[in-house]
């Protein structure tokens, strides 16, 4: 093994059903599209796993195919004859793989949507509870003993600027008639505002609210409901349980599905290698397939060696800009080489 190459392993490609050259040529373009779609789904599942691992705070698991780590799966790849019999027409195999991956992608969208919906509901509740006093949910701050409600009396909740509290204390009894003296009590204070109660006669409640607004005191609309508060707390608890269950289920599903979709991608890559090699070199199939993992700094050097081995002095022919058909022949790759080359990017 050359020192420039970190990995060089022979890749076994089975004797797949060739069909006609015309059918292979027609399949070549579709293979590029299918491979691109399946690769995209593979990375989408992987990114979802990474996000779930971060939010759960647990150590990331190992990505694998049926328990085999991805790197080992690539280097030890064997064609899944049970799923894709080698005598099945290649078009049918590709369509089967594409359909299977599309179903996985749809399932992923549904599961992520369910999880995101619960996260959004909890986030909305959290913002209401953690926002400023002017907008936050007040039920968690107000107890039953803080509220007086009778036929003639009612308790109003007033948001006062942190720096206007002295003004409130000295003026609230004069904002309207029929304000219960010394009835104001501070319930909570944050960095900007303080929350006060005041007891007034019901018949002057609207008058008091208007006068309070004129003095820049905000009267919050609030109806004390002990049972409703308990229901909201139960709702939050249930949402948190749902979020945990959905996250765990989604995480497990993603780990299992990543292996399935990566295996599908690998099989499509093998079909591409097989198809492009026949279109390049003709029948019968006689070519060597290998997995190479060069370091980034040595990739150009390795490609130069491969060009010498594959094309020798004719390598310039494969780089000709005057023959656009050459690009179609290799499946749309932006770089043309005198050998068939596919890149598997595990972190796209």
């Amino acid at each position: 093994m050359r020192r420039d190459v970190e990995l060089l392993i022979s890749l076994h490609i089975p004797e797949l059903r060739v069909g006609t050259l015309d059918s292979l040529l027609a399949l070549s373009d579709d293979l590029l599209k299918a491979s691109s779609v399946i690769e995209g789904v593979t990375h989408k599942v992987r990114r979802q796993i990474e996000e779930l691992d971060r939010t759960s705070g647990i150590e990331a698991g190992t990505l694998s195919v049926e328990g085999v780590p991805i790197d080992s799966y690539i280097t030890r790849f064997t064609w899944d004859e049970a799923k894709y019999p080698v005598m099945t027409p290649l078009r049918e195999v590709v369509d089967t793989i594409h359909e299977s991956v599309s179903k996985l992608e749809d399932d992923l969208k549904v599961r992520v949507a369910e999880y995101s919906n619960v996260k959004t509901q909890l986030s909305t509740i959290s913002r209401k509870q953690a926002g400023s006093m002017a907008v936050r949910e007040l039920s968690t701050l107000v107890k039953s003993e803080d509220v007086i409600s009778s036929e003639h009396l009612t308790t109003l909740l007033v948001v006062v600027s942190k720096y206007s509290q002295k003004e409130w204390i000295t003026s609230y009894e004069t904002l309207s008639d029929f304000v219960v003296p010394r009835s104001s009590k501070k319930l909570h204070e944050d960095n900007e505002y303080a929350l006060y109660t005041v007891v007034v006669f019901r018949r002057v409640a609207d008058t008091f609210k208007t006068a309070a607004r004129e003095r820049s005191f905000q009267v919050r609309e609030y109806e004390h409901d002990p049972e409703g508060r308990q229901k909201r707390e139960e709702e939050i608890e249930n949402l948190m349980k749902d979020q945990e269950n959905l996250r765990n289920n989604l995480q497990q599903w993603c780990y299992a599905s990543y292996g399935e979709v990566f295996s599908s991608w690998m099989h499509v890559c093998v079909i591409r290698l097989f198809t492009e090699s026949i279109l390049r070199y003709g029948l019968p199939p006689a070519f060597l397939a290998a997995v190479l993992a060069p370091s980034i700094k040595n990739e150009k050097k390795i490609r130069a060696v491969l060009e010498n081995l594959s094309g020798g002095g004719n390598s310039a022919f494969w780089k000709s800009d005057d023959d656009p058909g050459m690009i179609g022949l290799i499946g749309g790759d932006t770089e043309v080489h005198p050998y068939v080359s596919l890149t598997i990017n595990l972190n796209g």
Side-chain angles (χ1 to χ4, degrees):
M1 181 184 301
R2 291 177 57 92
R3 293 183 179 179
D4 301 327
V5 183
E6 296 177 358
L7 178 67
L8 175 57
I9 300 291
S10 176
L11 176 65
H12 174 67
I13 296 182
E15 294 185 10
L16 301 173
R17 183 169 176 177
V18 175
T20 65
L21 290 179
D22 285 343
S23 66
L24 287 182
L25 193 58
L27 180 62
S28 179
D29 289 337
D30 293 338
L31 272 172
L32 178 63
K33 298 173 186 177
S35 180
S36 178
V37 169
I38 296 170
E39 178 182 2
V41 177
T42 303
H43 295 321
K44 189 181 297 184
V45 176
R46 177 186 53 77
R47 287 192 292 268
Q48 186 64 58
I49 289 173
E50 291 172 350
E51 178 185 338
L52 291 169
D53 285 344
R54 283 195 301 270
T55 56
S56 63
I58 64 174
E59 185 177 350
T62 301
L63 297 177
S64 63
V65 178
E66 297 182 352
V68 180
I70 294 300
D71 290 349
S72 298
Y73 176 76
I74 295 174
T75 57
R76 303 174 187 173
F77 175 80
T78 56
W79 185 267
D80 192 337
E81 172 70 18
K83 274 188 177 180
Y84 317 114
V86 292
M87 293 309 296
T88 303
L90 291 180
R91 168 71 66 179
E92 185 176 326
V93 174
V94 173
D95 289 345
T96 298
I97 293 175
H98 199 174
E99 181 180 352
S100 174
V101 172
S102 295
K103 288 180 179 179
L104 278 174
E105 185 179 22
D106 291 340
D107 198 1
L108 174 65
K109 290 178 181 177
V110 171
R111 290 172 181 270
V112 170
E114 291 176 346
Y115 174 57
S116 298
N117 180 48
V118 173
K119 279 183 64 179
T120 300
Q121 292 182 59
L122 280 172
S123 178
T124 301
I125 294 173
S126 178
R127 283 198 302 271
K128 288 182 178 180
Q129 292 181 339
S132 73
M133 208 71 65
V135 296
R136 69 174 291 179
E137 171 68 45
L138 299 179
S139 62
T140 58
L141 304 177
V142 183
K143 301 176 182 178
S144 296
E145 55 266 30
D146 297 325
V147 178
I148 294 176
S149 181
S150 66
E151 181 181 353
H152 299 292
L153 296 176
T154 186
T155 299
L156 302 178
L157 298 179
V158 185
V159 176
V160 180
S161 170
K162 184 176 181 179
Y163 304 103
S164 301
Q165 295 184 71
K166 185 175 181 180
E167 180 185 355
W168 164 259
I169 294 298
T170 58
S171 65
Y172 77 88
E173 294 181 9
T174 65
L175 293 180
S176 74
D177 296 331
F178 302 107
V179 178
V180 177
R182 297 184 296 279
S183 62
S184 184
K185 181 175 68 172
K186 181 163 68 173
L187 300 184
H188 190 77
E189 182 176 341
D190 60 23
N191 294 331
E192 298 179 87
Y193 300 100
L195 180 66
Y196 283 87
T197 60
V198 60
V199 181
V200 302
F201 277 70
R202 288 189 179 275
R203 59 180 178 172
V204 300
D206 290 339
T207 302
F208 184 92
K209 292 177 183 179
T210 301
R213 281 195 296 269
E214 292 174 354
R215 301 287 288 273
S216 299
F217 302 134
Q218 179 187 356
V219 179
R220 292 284 306 273
E221 295 298 330
Y222 178 78
E223 183 175 345
H224 190 59
D225 181 9
E227 292 184 0
R229 176 179 177 176
Q230 183 177 354
K231 287 181 180 178
R232 280 189 291 273
E233 291 176 349
E234 291 176 353
E235 179 187 5
I236 293 173
E237 184 178 353
N238 289 333
L239 283 172
M240 292 181 69
K241 289 180 180 178
D242 289 344
Q243 177 182 247
E244 184 68 18
N245 289 334
L246 287 171
R247 181 174 60 222
N248 290 337
N249 291 337
L250 177 58
Q251 198 168 28
Q252 293 172 6
W253 182 89
C254 283
Y255 270 107
S257 297
Y258 181 84
E260 185 172 347
V261 73
F262 188 89
S263 175
S264 298
W265 183 24
M266 191 67 185
H267 279 78
V268 168
C269 286
V270 167
I271 295 174
R272 285 186 68 191
L273 284 174
F274 180 81
T275 301
E276 305 302 342
S277 296
I278 290 178
L279 292 176
R280 179 77 65 88
Y281 306 118
L283 291 170
F287 48 83
L288 171 67
V291 177
L292 284 80
S295 60
I296 295 177
K297 66 179 181 179
N298 287 321
E299 181 176 352
K300 289 185 178 179
K301 188 183 299 184
I302 296 302
R303 287 200 178 277
V305 172
L306 289 173
E307 288 191 5
N308 288 331
L309 290 173
S310 303
N314 296 323
S315 61
F317 167 79
W318 297 97
K319 298 181 180 179
S320 174
D321 295 329
D322 299 328
D323 188 0
M326 204 59 69
I327 295 179
L329 181 61
I330 63 163
D333 287 353
T334 55
E335 291 188 44
V336 184
H337 307 285
Y339 52 89
V340 178
S341 175
L342 300 180
T343 299
I344 297 180
N345 185 358
L346 300 181
N347 299 305

